Amino acid sequence: MKKSLFYIPLIACLVGVSSCEKGFDELNVNPTAATALNPSFTFNNAMINTTFPGSTLVFEHPIVQFMFSPNSGVLAGGNFNVDNRGPTGPNAGIWQRYYRDVTRYVVDVMAKTKDDPARSNLYNMARIWKAYSFMVLTDSYGDIPYKDAGLGFLGGNVAPKYDTQQSIYEDIIKELTEASAALDAAKPIEAGDILYGGNISRWKRFGYSTLLRAGMRLTKVNPALAQSTVQKAVQGGVMQANADNAVIRNNANYQNPVGGTLNSTEAANYYLTSHFVNYLRTNADPRLASIAARYVGAKSGAEQTAARLNRDPAVQIGMPLGFDNGTIPAQATRDGLASFYDYSQLDRTRLGKIDAPCYLVTYAQTQLLLAEAAVRGWVTGSVAEYYAAGVTAHMQQLGDADAASAVPAAAITTYLQRNPFVPANGLEQINTQYWVASFLNGPEAFANFRRSGFPRLTPNPYPGKEIKGSFINRLSYPDNEKAVNLANLTEATTRQGADNLDTRVWWDKQ
């Protein structure tokens, strides 16, 4: 009897197999689990991950002489004009962050919203973001996977072909033009987007300001296309104020990678260059007080304490290039310092803090590009007014980044009175201000330096350089590409030039 009772439930289940299977389904499905991820969340992830990696401190910042480390090893790069490769080497920082995170997210968003009329604005916002992100990538490396990018995630294409930078720029211009025009405030907006909260007017201004940047990038290689692109951007409507800035607001959960690097293992290793500090000091630029901090008398990293912190512009001393950790101590002594830890740094408690915002495209940069476009006769308006607006906007932007770094209005007025626009020196003056306005945006400062030739930087005199020229022209491809995509990488380097720091990207025409 006991045995019969044991089998009764099983027999009943076999007789009514469909009902039993239905029960098992219910037991094995989480009723609270999400069945699909809202693409707006994915898009926010793409934007958050667009902040610049700490590796920009190894290459881009030293190349344009913002700040550098005298230490070698993992920090070797632009400070010594040498390459620094490896599976996760500093040369791969932008590549890894943008392809691994930004590209796969944004391509996924586009695939899920392309045919959904209710998500038209999100689709076009993603197109703009993709175009911006690929400008950073191609400006850094040259020819890169573009048309096939992200398809490893969606379609299993793990060996994407490399596209020429010329074709990439042509498509970026098309995408920015079409997507910016297609944004429509009358259609459903994406109020949860972390950049503008669904404000379509600001998204449009961001798209057209990025288009302006793309057009100006081509001044040396294709002036006609540069001019027509700039004019399309202006006609569409570019940024009108700092409120339009494309800025990622970081926090304790989503930290600024550059700030994170400067406040952890490398806190005592990075210093503002003498060229940058001297430029600001010589011109009595009030931004020096907002940017720099010196731990006066520090003989070690441990002695860089709050009690020694001095932000007075008069005491700031930048570290000269051309030295390593073996030779910089003697130079510090010659400069009258207690040690090399006594040189000026980016203030890690303000603009260099771990939750510092990351500015991608700004009103200040946009106004300065318009000033250059006006010099070239491509747009109407007063060059001097564009110039003054750009300088003013960046000084005001510092206060937005951190209230303690705000530049007083009177100081801005005084600076512009002492440093008015001089037409005879127009392009140099505009692009030198663009350099300052791009501080902490290493990739953009590096790109515009190559395009414009300004500021006039004295080549880094470090004796152990690997480059043949005076400055690094591009970043080398990550070593991982050789392991997983060698055939397409070889095709690209055969076409573009050797995979080294001397090869120029397409738009960087001599």
Side-chain angles (χ1 to χ4, degrees):
M1 180 64 68
K2 290 181 180 178
K3 195 172 186 179
S4 299
L5 289 172
F6 177 78
Y7 281 107
I8 287 172
L10 177 59
I11 294 170
C13 187
L14 291 173
V15 173
V17 65
S18 61
S19 62
C20 285
E21 288 180 349
K22 183 177 180 181
F24 281 127
D25 287 343
E26 293 172 352
L27 286 172
N28 287 280
V29 173
N30 182 352
T32 64
T35 56
L37 183 64
N38 189 325
S40 65
F41 299 150
T42 306
F43 187 48
N44 280 341
N45 267 334
M47 292 190 285
I48 289 169
N49 283 284
T50 311
T51 51
F52 308 121
S55 64
T56 58
L57 291 165
V58 176
F59 279 104
E60 290 91 336
H61 284 272
I63 294 170
V64 299
Q65 300 182 15
F66 283 149
M67 53 183 154
F68 80 108
S69 172
N71 296 327
S72 57
V74 296
L75 302 185
N79 54 351
F80 305 139
N81 279 325
V82 298
D83 208 345
N84 194 339
R85 306 186 187 212
T88 58
N91 69 313
I94 286 287
W95 186 284
Q96 288 182 323
R97 190 166 182 85
Y98 276 53
Y99 271 119
R100 181 187 60 200
D101 299 324
V102 181
T103 298
R104 71 186 181 101
Y105 288 144
V106 80
V107 169
D108 182 56
V109 172
M110 290 172 62
K112 290 178 177 175
T113 58
K114 182 178 181 179
D115 299 319
D116 185 353
R119 307 308 287 270
S120 171
N121 280 323
L122 180 56
Y123 172 64
N124 287 296
M125 288 153 57
R127 292 172 73 187
I128 291 171
W129 204 261
K130 181 185 175 186
Y132 165 78
S133 301
F134 272 94
M135 274 187 67
V136 176
L137 276 165
T138 189
D139 290 346
S140 299
Y141 299 97
D143 292 3
I144 56 172
Y146 177 70
K147 291 179 181 177
D148 290 349
L151 299 185
F153 178 66
L154 292 178
N157 183 354
V158 295
K161 288 183 65 65
Y162 282 59
D163 297 282
T164 66
Q165 187 176 65
Q166 179 176 357
S167 68
I168 293 169
Y169 256 90
E170 288 170 353
D171 196 66
I172 283 174
I173 290 170
K174 178 188 78 69
E175 286 294 282
L176 289 170
T177 302
E178 292 179 359
S180 299
L183 290 169
D184 188 350
K187 295 180 179 179
I189 63 170
E190 303 292 334
D193 95 72
I194 62 167
L195 192 68
Y196 296 122
N199 188 311
I200 296 301
S201 295
R202 287 180 176 168
W203 267 103
K204 279 180 170 287
R205 291 170 192 156
F206 166 53
Y208 285 120
S209 295
T210 307
L211 181 63
L212 170 66
R213 178 182 288 185
M216 293 300 292
R217 200 75 93 224
L218 308 184
T219 51
K220 289 195 296 187
V221 71
N222 192 336
L225 179 58
Q227 179 178 355
S228 63
T229 302
V230 166
Q231 290 170 343
K232 286 180 183 178
V234 173
Q235 184 178 9
V238 296
M239 292 178 176
Q240 300 298 307
N242 275 336
D244 295 330
N245 287 343
V247 52
I248 304 301
R249 305 284 180 183
N250 297 294
N251 56 37
N253 294 319
Y254 298 100
Q255 297 181 1
N256 185 316
V258 171
T261 299
L262 293 176
N263 283 278
S264 56
T265 57
E266 312 307 334
N269 289 331
Y270 277 96
Y271 296 84
L272 298 173
T273 71
S274 57
H275 180 85
F276 186 58
V277 171
N278 291 343
Y279 175 80
L280 296 177
R281 285 190 62 180
T282 300
N283 293 283
D285 194 316
R287 285 172 285 193
L288 182 58
S290 301
I291 293 169
R294 183 179 157 213
Y295 296 92
V296 178
K299 297 183 181 65
S300 66
E303 290 191 6
Q304 290 183 340
T305 62
R308 295 181 181 274
L309 181 60
N310 193 324
R311 300 185 179 97
D312 184 352
V315 307
Q316 303 306 321
I317 302 174
M319 182 180 284
L321 286 159
F323 300 91
D324 56 27
N325 55 0
T327 58
I328 194 60
Q331 181 59 38
T333 299
R334 288 190 290 270
D335 287 337
L337 303 180
S339 73
F340 75 79
Y341 298 99
D342 199 359
Y343 283 109
S344 297
Q345 297 179 291
L346 170 65
D347 190 339
R348 302 192 298 269
T349 69
R350 297 185 294 169
L351 300 184
K353 59 190 177 182
I354 60 174
D355 59 349
C358 180
Y359 293 85
L360 307 177
V361 178
T362 68
Y363 172 59
Q365 293 168 327
T366 299
Q367 288 295 294
L368 290 166
L369 290 179
L370 288 174
E372 180 178 342
V375 168
R376 296 177 181 276
W378 295 351
V379 299
T380 59
S382 166
V383 178
E385 289 180 5
Y386 285 133
Y387 170 83
V391 174
T392 299
H394 183 248
M395 291 187 179
Q396 293 173 338
Q397 177 186 312
L398 296 178
D400 171 72
D402 189 280
S405 291
V407 178
I412 298 175
T413 300
T414 299
Y415 178 81
L416 288 172
Q417 289 173 344
R418 292 176 178 173
N419 299 275
F421 179 72
V422 180
N425 197 32
L427 290 180
E428 179 176 1
Q429 196 172 8
I430 291 166
N431 284 287
T432 300
Q433 286 294 337
Y434 194 93
W435 170 64
V436 179
S438 298
F439 181 65
L440 290 176
N441 185 335
E444 180 57 21
F446 178 38
N448 199 66
F449 169 62
R450 287 175 287 163
R451 177 194 73 85
S452 70
F454 300 114
R456 294 188 187 275
L457 301 176
T458 300
N460 182 346
Y462 188 76
K465 71 175 185 177
E466 294 177 356
I467 61 174
K468 296 177 182 178
S470 297
F471 295 94
I472 292 172
N473 292 323
R474 63 178 283 274
L475 302 185
S476 59
Y477 295 117
D479 279 357
N480 281 352
E481 279 294 284
K482 295 179 182 178
V484 301
N485 201 13
L486 180 60
N488 289 316
L489 174 63
T490 301
E491 179 186 15
T493 54
T494 300
R495 177 178 62 230
Q496 177 175 261
D499 183 23
N500 58 37
L501 306 179
D502 286 302
T503 295
R504 293 174 178 267
V505 301
W506 165 73
W507 53 252
D508 187 16
K509 185 178 180 181
Q510 289 180 293

